[in-house]
């Protein structure tokens, strides 16, 4: 709607359509987090029951850190960080018909034995005011395998809500496992 006869202009920041959620930060592109390239990842979700409530997640800094914020006035003003997740990328956000918020991301961990990528789905029913339900969807090595460039887990993920359920897609390192030998 930016170039229509009546362009979107409900939110203005410095005379320009849109609203800054944060200032004074730099998004570093092509920074490596383990073997993963980062930069520019962002996600947004609007509550299907109340369009005043909007959530946004983005990544910045070194190490790359995800930030999650909420607006309760359609994006005119924003909360402080509700969640920060360091060494993480690929945010996804969705809100179910029951108001449950899902925040999906991939986080680099360093247990003994080498770096690993954990794909998390955090769920909150109270706007992240109390402890979240955190489900680990995948736990894979930070390995390039036979791939010759960075990005063993890809640089995209998506989370959607359909009714009261979350559905998502994400990439993860997947070394083929050879079938077990069987004897006849």
């Amino acid at each position: 709607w930016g170039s229509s006869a009546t362009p979107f202009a409900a939110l203005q920041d410095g005379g320009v359509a849109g609203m800054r959620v944060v200032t004074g930060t730099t998004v570093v592109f092509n920074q490596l987090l383990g073997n993963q390239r980062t930069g520019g990842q962002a996600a947004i979700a609007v509550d299907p029951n109340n369009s005043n409530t909007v959530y946004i997640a983005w990544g910045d800094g070194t190490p790359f850190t995800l930030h999650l914020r909420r607006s309760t006035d359609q994006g005119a003003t924003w909360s402080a960080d509700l969640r920060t997740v360091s060494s993480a990328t690929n945010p996804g956000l969705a809100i179910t018909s029951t108001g449950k918020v899902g925040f999906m991301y991939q986080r680099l961990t360093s247990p003994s034995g080498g770096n690993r990528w954990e794909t998390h789905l955090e769920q909150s029913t109270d706007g992240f005011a109390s402890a979240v339900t955190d489900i680990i969807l995948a736990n894979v090595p930070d390995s390039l395998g036979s791939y010759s460039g960075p990005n063993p887990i890809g640089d995209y993920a998506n989370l959607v809500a359909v009714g009261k359920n979350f559905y998502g897609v994400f990439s993860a390192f997947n070394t083929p496992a050879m079938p077990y030998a069987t004897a006849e």
Side-chain angles (χ1 to χ4, degrees):
W1 292 353
S3 62
S4 68
T6 56
F8 176 79
L11 298 174
Q12 295 280 322
D13 191 352
V16 177
M19 185 63 58
R20 293 179 184 122
V21 176
V22 65
T23 60
T25 188
T26 301
V27 176
V28 181
F29 285 86
N30 293 322
Q31 170 181 213
L32 286 180
L33 184 58
N35 288 308
Q36 180 67 26
R37 180 180 62 223
T38 64
Q41 288 87 352
I44 191 167
V46 178
D47 188 331
N49 303 301
N50 180 356
S51 64
N52 287 332
T53 303
V54 183
Y55 287 82
I56 189 166
W58 78 94
D60 63 22
T62 303
F64 204 70
T65 299
L66 295 181
H67 304 267
L68 174 66
R69 292 189 179 181
R70 177 183 65 230
S71 173
T72 56
D73 57 11
Q74 297 183 337
T77 61
W78 291 89
S79 70
D81 287 350
L82 301 172
R83 298 279 296 123
T84 56
V85 185
S86 64
S87 298
T89 189
N90 295 342
L93 286 170
I95 306 171
T96 67
S97 60
T98 61
K100 183 183 288 185
V101 180
F103 176 35
M104 185 174 73
Y105 57 87
Q106 294 177 295
R107 183 168 183 258
L108 183 67
T109 63
S110 299
S112 62
N115 288 348
R116 299 194 61 86
W117 284 101
E118 293 178 346
T119 301
H120 290 255
L121 174 59
E122 293 186 357
Q123 299 171 71
S124 175
T125 57
D126 64 2
F128 295 88
S130 60
V132 299
T133 300
D134 185 9
I135 301 169
I136 296 179
L137 304 173
N139 184 325
V140 299
D142 180 38
S143 174
L144 298 177
S146 60
Y147 177 64
S148 62
N151 274 11
I153 60 167
D155 53 5
Y156 54 88
N158 192 32
L159 183 67
V160 297
V162 179
K164 62 180 184 173
N165 299 310
F166 291 115
Y167 298 90
V169 62
F170 57 90
S171 297
F173 180 79
N174 187 13
T175 302
M178 302 308 290
Y180 294 103
T182 59
E184 292 187 31

